[in-house]
Structures are given as structure tokens and as C-alpha cells.
Amino acid sequence: MSTRVGVRTSYVILGVGLLLTLAPAFWFEAESAHAHALGALLIGLTLSGVLFGVTRAELRARMRAERVAAELRDSQEALRESEERSRLTLARALDAIITIDVEGLILGWNPQAEQLFGWPAEDVLRRRLSEIIIPPAYREAHEKGLARLRETGDGPALNRRLELSALRRDGTEFPVELAITPVQLKGAMVFSAFLRDVTQQRQAQDALRESEASFRLLFAGNPLAMWVYDVETLHFLEVNAAAVAQYGYSREEFLRMRISDIRPPEDVDRLKDVVAALATVTDETRGHTGPWRHRLKDGRVIDVDVVSHAMVFSGRRAALVVATDVTELKRSEATLAKYAERLSILHEIDRAVIAAAAPVEIAQAALQRLRPLLGVPRAIVNLFDLAAGEVEWLAAAGRRRIRGGPGVRFPLKLMGDVDALRRGELQVIDVASLPRGPEAESLLASGVHVYMVVPMIAGGELIGGLSFGGASAQFPPEQISIAREVATQLAIAITQARLYERVTRHAEELEQRVQERTLALGAANEQLQQEIAERRRAEEKADHANRAKSDFLSRMSHELRTPLNGILGFAQLLEMESLPADQEESVAQILKAGRHLLGLINEVLDISRIETGRLQLSLEPVPVGETLRGALDIVRPLAAQHGIALHAGAADERQHVLADRQRLQQVLLNLLSNAVKYNRTGGTVAVSCEEILGERLRILVRDTGHGISPDNLDRLFTPFDRLGAEGTGVEGTGLGLALSKHLVDVMGGTLDVTSQVGVGSTFAVELPLTAAPVEALKPRGGSPSVDPAPPDARMVVLYIEDNLSNLRLIEQVLGRRPRTTLLSAMQGRLGLDLAREHRPDLILLDLHLPDLPGQEVLRRLLDEPRTREIPVLILSADATPGHVERLLAAGARAYLTKPLDVRQLLALVDKHAPGERG
């Protein structure tokens, strides 16, 4: 027993020593987990053998078992790491990865699949793939493919990249790229599908295909010449049909050429610079544009506008070129520019004429632009001195400078045939044919070997010539046309400028004369201004005198009419009474004298109105026959009283004259009454009418009186001059004929007289004829009649008057209306109070009151609601027509002038009685 313990103890010591000897070296030399595990195993076995008495063979067996277990554990750990790496790879893969079994059930669904198809993994695992991502149209084909795979173990979709349509959860289809790889998992076959959304790639491919198709269409069918060339070799890579047609080369010829072959040699260096710039361009949107010259196959050179863009063509750096032939356009632009310059030169000449420029300035400005337009080295404007047989430069233009002004003179024969120039013919002169001299040498030195002279003719006169030339004897028609136009315009401009200079000199002379005359007229004008001022002062004095005269006559009319109103009014009342014969005669004399005085007042007022221009007339078509009959009827009693026979010729009832009816009758009454009064006993008065050229009418009044001597005819129409008739006992004032002549004059007619002493006189009134009115409104009744008032008519009349005589007259007049009550007021304000208080049926109003003007009383009556409807009659001695019209317009019902016509007043009173108004 002790021996075994000793042996075991020796093994333990030996094992520990061996362990202590080998373990550190083994541990520290190990470089892998397997080495560490093996070291741990050795240590464990050693200790086990020492401690438990394990044999060496057992120890080796156990060490081998432990080594196998360690390797198994390492394999499992490696598998776990591999699975983790696979999981991480699936989770972080850019593509959607789906794993299915041979039945089509989904075993794996990574996050990218969730994002791509919209299904979370938990909703799709163990479901059929065809139900999740295969569009309905392709599901049957998918299931058939799986069935064939299960049967054969192979399928066309394995280990290939395919593009097909997939279905999202929301039902939208989209293109995907698919790769399926078979994998053995735990003894079973599974399939990993890698899917990628290729919508953008598909769109890019479609766009590329469309772009290529569009490019091919635009390139091949474009009407503009197009080609593609290699920017490194300059060889043509492709050309379109338009380039073939335009340049004359076939497509095969183009493809064997380089782009430098269609350029003129002088443009090749510039071409290389442009191509070198294009070769460095990486952006295909950039390129080159500009004008170029291209050579066609037939050798012609054309102008083109080129647009080129860098591009890649069949894997080569290239440039696409579009070339537009602008040869005709440039030719048209050049022609248009030349025509515009041509018009501009002519317009500049016109402006210079308008600006009154000097001839030399006009010529210099025109030549400076004309010479390059004609394309010649020299152009000259020459003025001819035909009397001296010489030519003088007005202006000359060479390549380097413009010369203007006089100084260079030479013989006229250098201009060619002068007579031909007068006829407008051009002259072409060869310098070599001229005599040797400084002129010919100067022309040759300036490069002029042949020159043309274009005549400058204005108003049929040859004033000069426009000469130009060069080395060639060819003068194109366009060049000649331009020269002719400018020569014609210059001739007109120079003639106008010369005329303007003469007019300016003449104007300066006239200006000097005008200044001299102005000084002389200044004094006369000052004197004239003084005379005008004196005349204006005289006119102002005359106007003032006329106004004073009018005021005086108005006051006189009022002052005279007021007492006449009482005289004639009371006389009319007496006349209406039954009086003894002697008293009737007395009343008749009173009325006669009063009426004569009233007529005198009216005539004086009429003459005054005519002289001051204040007489108002109403010109209208007046029937001549009717007016004559009315006047004859009025005069007939007077003629019978004097034993005078009246004879009136037959008047045309259709004849009308343009006149004032009342004033014409007034004139005729005056002439007829004079013919009766100044006639001899048993004499005659004849009235007749004569038409003059269908435009005027003469009314003739002939009498058989004593006649008027030629000495008295000049005084006949003088106011108040009765030509000595004052002592004959014939009544008159000397105003009738004067007033009649004034009235006829203002009506646009004439009044003249012829007389023979002992035979009689003929007065003629001539007035313009006029058409008859279409319809005349005639008064329905004659003069107002005085009828007895209705027996039941009660009436209150208010009379506002400050004159007691007039009040008494109205009281007696209204006394003939027993049922009429008269209220009177001698002041305006009192009359207003009575009107408001009693509201009379009628108000009679005088205009001249002590406290208020009658016109103001009328205004207040019409403004007051209580008196607005009461009719107001104006009774006034103011017979001014304008005053009458103003008051009637202001609201008065009638205007009666004093002296009153009693019958007319009573008629108006009866008219406004309550019964009549109701």
C-alpha cells in the first residue's frame, strides 16, 4: 500500500513537473483557440492521470476524445459565426432576398424585401410566393415551372439574370431584375431569389432608345446638312442625305474624307483650334457655333452657319455638326445693307437741305459714305462754270481723306461731252486718252484708270457732275443706279442751298429795311395808340351819355305816363257815361289830346331805343295783303273826314316779307296818315306792291298832295323837323317819318321818297321776301269787350300803388263791378301784409313804390305759400320791352302800361274773377 502511494506520489510529482515544464511553452506558443484548448486538455489529462492513477494508454485515449470534442465545438462555433454573418448579410443586403422551398413557400424575407414589396416578414412566411409578388397573369406559369423543377431538378430560371414584372402589396406592378440560386439546406433543396427594382434603369433604357430613335430620325430626315466626325482623326463617321445632296459627295466618299477636306486651305488652322477645344470638352451639351466657309465637290465655296456639339459615337469621342447654307442670306443681307446705306445717304442729303447746310458740307457728308458704297478709290462732286469753260471741285473723297471747298480747277473738257451731259447721258473717260498733264497723273497715281461722269441736273439746268472710277472699265448697273440717284439728289440739294443763301441775303437786307421801317412806324403806332385811347374815351363818354339818356327817357316816360294815366283814365270813364253833347265833345278833346301826347312819348322812346340799339324786334314772315288791309281800315275814317279817296291795288295773298308785324303796321299807318293829312282836298291816296327779281318787295304809297321841294327832301327824315308845316294847322310832331325810317332800316329794308312839287309824293318801303309759314296760329277773338260781371261773382282786389290819382281812378273803374271789393296799400310791405291776411282774388301792382321795388314785392308774393297762387297784374308807366319781358318771366300774369286802357283792364279783371277761374 505504501509502495503504491509512493508510486502515485512520484507520478504526481512527475506530472506536475512535466505540466509546469510544457504548459507555459505550449500556451505561449499557441496562436489559435485550438492550441489553447489542446493545452488545457493536456493539463487536464496530466492532472487526471496523476490524481486518479490513469494509465498512459487511457490518458492518450482520453486526450484523443477531448481533441475530437474540441474540434466539434470549434466547428459549431464556426457555424454559428457563419450563420450570423449570413443573417447580417441578408439583413444589410442592397437587394431583396427571398428564400423559398420546392413547393414555393416563403422561408426567408429580408428587410429589403419588406421595403420593396410592402409586406412585413411575419405576414408572408410560409405563404406561397406566387400569391405575394407574382402578378396574376404570370402565376400559372410560375406554378408550372416549380412543378417541372420538382420533377426534373432543373429549370430555365436557375442561375440566370432575368427581368420580369413583380407585384407590390398595393397592387402596382413594376420591373425587377431576378437571379435564383439553388441551395442545399439540411439535406433539402431551397432557392434564394435576389430581386432588384429596375424601374429607373428601364426608364433610362427606354429614354435612351427613344433618344437614339429620335436622333436617327432627326439625323436621317433632317433637311439641314448634318454629319458626325471623330475629333481625334477628323474623319467623317456618318452623314445624312441632306449633306450628300448639298455638298455633292456620296456617303461613301464622305466616309473616306476628313472634315478638313471641305474647308478652304486658309480656314484649316482655325478648324484645328476649334476641334482641339472640342476634344477637351466632357459635357456633351457644350459645343461650337459660328460662321464658316465650305467647299463643295464642284469647287464652289459657300457660307454656312455651323452648330457643333461634343458627343460619343460608337464609343469614340466625336462631334455632331449641323451646317446651314447662308450664302443667299448673306448675299441678300449685303444687298439690303447696300440699299439701306443708299437710302441713308439720300436721307442725309435731305436732312442737310432742311438744316440749311452749305453746299460743301452736303457734298462732303455724301461722298464720305458714297465712295465705299460704290467700291471705288475716288469720287468727286464737280461744279461747272460753263461760261469760263472750267470745272471746280466742290468736294472729293479718296481712300485716306475727304477734301472740301474750292481751289482745284481744271478744263471742262475733262468731263467729256457737255452737250451729252445736258441731255442726261453718262460719260465714260479713259485716263490714258487724256493729254499728259497734272490732272491725268493725279488720277493714275490714285489708281483711277477709267472714270465715269454722272450729270447733276436741277430744274433742267446742268450745274455739275459726279465723277468716280478705278482700275476697271466695268461699271455695274447697280453702281450706276446709285450714282445717278445721289447725283440727282445732290443737284437738288446744292440748288436749294444756293437758293437758301440768296434768300438769306435777301432776308437780311429786308430785315434791315424792316428795322428802318419799324423805327418809322414806331412813332406812327404810338400816335395811333393815342388816337385809339382818345376814341375809347370818347366811346365811353358816348356810352355814358346814352345810358344817361336812356335813364332820362325812362324816368320821363314814367313821369309823363303817370299823370296821363289819370287824365286818360278818368276821361275814358266819362266817355262811358251818358253826357250832354257839349260835355261829350270836351271829353273827346281830352282823350284826343292825351292820346296825342301818349303817341309823342312813345315815338320819342322808340327813336331813343333805336339809337342806343335796344329796340327789340321779332322778325317773322308777315303777310303783306293782310297787313295793308289792317292799316287801310284804321286810316279810312281819317281819309273820309278829309275827303280823300283811298285806292289799294290787289295784293298777292301768298306774299310774305321778313319783318316785325307790329312795327311794319306802325310804319304803314304813319305813311298813310301823312298821305291823308298832307293831301289836297278831294285828293287820292294809292297803295300798290312791286316785286323785285323775286327777292324783295316794294310797298308804294302815292298821294296827290302839294309835293316836297328838292331842298327839303334831305331834311325829310330829321326828327322834329316838320319842313314848315307847323303853321298849316296840320297836327304832327316831326317824329313819324324819322321813326319809320329807323324801323325799316333795323328790319333790313329801305325807306325812300320821290316827290314833285304840285304833283305829289311817293314813299316806298322795300323789304326782303320770304316763304310763308306752314301754319299760323291766329287769336280766337278780337279786341277785349267789356261784359257785365256775373251777378253772383264776388271778388276782392288788392291795389298796391303810392299815387292817389291812380288809386282814385282804379276805384272808379272797379266801381263798375258792384260786387268787387278794392283794398289799397301805398307801400309794398303793407301790401304784402294785406295779401297774406285777406288773400285777395287779384293783385294790381305798381313798380315804383316808396319802400320796396315792385319787382321785389312780386318775388315775395310768389315765394310765400299763402300768396303764391294769387294772380298779379303789373300796372306801370315803364313801357320798356325788356322790363316787361323780365316781369312776365318772373311770374306776373299780365303787364299793362300807363295810361291804362280801361276796357282792357276791366276785361282782365273779369277774366280773373272767381266765377271765371272756377
Side-chain angles (χ1 to χ4, degrees), residues 258-296:
R258 298 194 304 171
I259 60 171
S260 56
D261 296 335
I262 63 171
R263 260 70 170 189
E266 58 270 23
D267 291 352
V268 173
D269 291 339
R270 178 187 167 209
L271 172 65
K272 291 179 178 179
D273 294 338
V274 172
V275 173
L278 281 175
T280 62
V281 172
T282 58
D283 185 358
E284 293 187 6
T285 61
R286 297 185 57 189
H288 165 76
T289 60
W292 288 89
R293 293 184 304 157
H294 285 178
R295 183 174 51 80
L296 306 182

Side-chain angles (χ1 to χ4, degrees), residues 451-469:
Y451 63 91
M452 174 178 283
V453 180
V454 181
M456 294 166 50
I457 301 173
E461 179 185 358
L462 178 66
I463 67 170
L466 171 65
S467 60
F468 62 94

